[in-house]
Amino acid sequence: MGGGSAIRQHQRRFLQGEPEETGRKEECVEAYWTVKTFGEYEMRETKDSEYELFKEGIAIGTFTEAHVEEERILFPLSRGMLLEVSEGGVREIATPEKAILMGMIASDGSNTFRREKRPEGGYRTEYSIRFYSENKELIRIFGEVSEKTYGLTPHHYARKRNGLITATIYSKRVFYDLLDINLKLGPYKFHVPVEHLDNEGKKAFLKGFFSGDGNVSVSGGRIMIRFYSTCRSGIEELHQIFKDLGFHPNEIMKEEESRGRTTYNFTIPTEEHIKFIDEIGSYKPKHILIFEEYKRRLEDREKE
């Protein structure tokens, strides 16, 4: 390889603005092979087994890894994100692990900061990302996806009076990462960042959300699978991504509770329960046991 320097990592210029100069000298001629082309984007593999992404013949990024699929190419980025290049263009999408994390925070979590005045002057700011649950398995899952996404292990705090566990990540960079996509809009408000979710990501987000704030009820051998929230806009977004995935969720219902709180919910139709269990599912042990028993009973009926 010749002199000069190449871009080593993805920056947001892929999605907007003009490509930046790589700094590679004009006399530098590299051996490469075109792996895939999507419209104005071309991926080349160099003799050093690296992957270069070109836009209209101009190099805009170099990667050490790439996952090539028939309709797209995926490049790993930081913060649990992937760069997706396809005929539709370029966008950043979440890994399944980050999508699960986002779903759990959207359902039973928070993304906040607190600023306190120091006695000696100035201010101290604490950034925290929390997930709340009485279920140790969900706390474990949250810790696992936190480590895979951000390389951070949450701190655990347990309340003796009710067994509620709070898993907390203290990180300014994680706070702003989630703030950038407007994941948590308030204590009971959330946003589904569908612009950063492919179909696999949508399923992972739904599984994370349902594990934290979904409901499965059993009556007469039948089950009801229900999503609910006080956040109407969030429920509407969940409802829509089910449609995107080929489901036919029932209409959103509005309920006035005794304490004056308004909730919104929708259910999955009976004929799509197995599809939901197989494609979405839940991490909550109670849900899993109900789903397994439900499938067992259906199998027994078919054998009769």
Side-chain angles (χ1 to χ4, degrees):
M1 295 180 64
S5 61
I7 299 172
R8 307 309 300 175
Q9 60 183 355
H10 163 80
Q11 295 181 4
R12 293 190 182 278
R13 62 174 175 271
F14 285 169
L15 306 180
Q16 58 187 7
E18 296 296 323
E20 293 187 6
E21 175 61 49
T22 65
R24 188 175 286 116
K25 295 179 180 179
E26 291 184 4
E27 64 267 19
C28 171
V29 179
E30 290 196 55
Y32 67 84
W33 299 265
T34 297
V35 178
K36 198 85 171 179
T37 301
F38 288 113
E40 59 187 0
Y41 292 95
E42 177 188 7
M43 186 183 84
R44 302 174 182 176
E45 182 177 358
T46 72
K47 64 179 181 180
D48 295 320
S49 297
E50 289 187 329
Y51 300 94
E52 285 196 301
L53 183 62
F54 288 76
K55 181 180 181 181
E56 297 180 337
I58 300 175
I60 57 175
T62 302
F63 303 84
T64 57
E65 296 179 50
H67 181 67
V68 182
E69 298 179 2
E70 183 177 349
E71 298 180 351
R72 65 179 183 174
I73 305 170
L74 298 175
F75 299 99
L77 305 175
S78 60
R79 302 172 288 106
M81 300 297 286
L82 301 168
L83 180 68
E84 179 190 70
V85 182
S86 67
E87 290 289 353
V90 174
R91 64 170 178 162
E92 288 187 8
I93 62 172
T95 62
E97 292 82 9
K98 184 169 186 175
I100 292 167
L101 177 77
M102 294 191 298
M104 297 180 82
I105 293 172
S107 64
D108 270 345
S110 64
N111 186 48
T112 61
F113 75 93
R114 182 178 63 182
R115 181 168 293 174
E116 297 179 346
K117 194 170 184 177
R118 297 178 183 271
E120 65 274 19
Y123 292 87
R124 173 182 177 274
T125 305
E126 178 185 273
Y127 300 90
S128 60
I129 301 85
R130 293 182 167 92
F131 175 70
Y132 311 89
S133 180
E134 298 174 3
N135 191 284
K136 292 182 180 181
E137 176 62 13
L138 294 188
I139 294 296
R140 186 191 69 78
I141 293 293
F142 182 76
E144 186 176 286
V145 294
S146 297
E147 290 170 1
K148 288 183 178 179
T149 302
Y150 296 112
L152 297 173
T153 302
H155 298 269
H156 295 165
Y157 306 94
R159 294 182 187 173
K160 292 182 179 181
R161 63 181 175 85
N162 60 6
L164 182 70
I165 303 172
T166 302
T168 306
I169 300 171
Y170 296 103
S171 171
K172 182 178 179 179
R173 69 180 176 89
V174 175
F175 169 82
Y176 279 108
D177 183 49
L178 299 177
L179 185 68
D180 283 346
I181 58 174
N182 296 317
L183 177 67
K184 204 69 177 179
L185 307 176
Y188 304 104
K189 295 182 179 181
F190 67 93
H191 163 64
V192 181
V194 66
E195 64 275 13
H196 297 299
L197 299 173
D198 61 359
N199 283 347
E200 188 177 3
K202 290 175 182 177
K203 292 177 182 180
F205 186 96
L206 289 171
K207 186 171 186 176
F209 188 96
F210 189 75
S211 299
D213 220 6
N215 178 264
V216 184
S217 58
V218 183
S219 177
R222 297 184 177 184
I223 64 173
M224 180 174 72
I225 299 173
R226 185 169 70 109
F227 282 75
Y228 66 94
S229 176
T230 58
C231 179
R232 178 163 188 162
S233 61
I235 280 291
E236 289 173 347
E237 290 172 336
L238 292 174
H239 195 264
Q240 181 58 50
I241 62 175
F242 267 108
K243 291 181 178 180
D244 296 342
L245 293 170
F247 286 84
H248 302 83
N250 294 317
E251 291 184 11
I252 296 174
M253 305 297 291
K254 178 180 178 181
E255 293 184 4
E256 300 290 346
E257 297 185 355
S258 58
R259 297 181 180 179
R261 188 177 71 163
T262 302
T263 62
Y264 304 89
N265 71 83
F266 65 87
T267 58
I268 304 300
T270 302
E271 58 271 22
E272 292 183 349
H273 282 174
I274 294 299
K275 177 180 172 69
F276 176 89
I277 294 170
D278 290 343
E279 296 186 15
I280 309 298
S282 175
Y283 289 112
K284 185 175 287 187
K286 181 180 178 181
H287 292 170
I288 294 173
L289 288 175
I290 294 174
F291 290 157
E292 290 177 347
E293 177 63 17
Y294 177 73
K295 292 183 73 172
R296 187 187 64 77
R297 289 188 178 187
L298 289 181
E299 292 172 356
D300 290 343
R301 288 176 190 172
E302 293 176 356
K303 293 177 182 178
E304 292 178 355

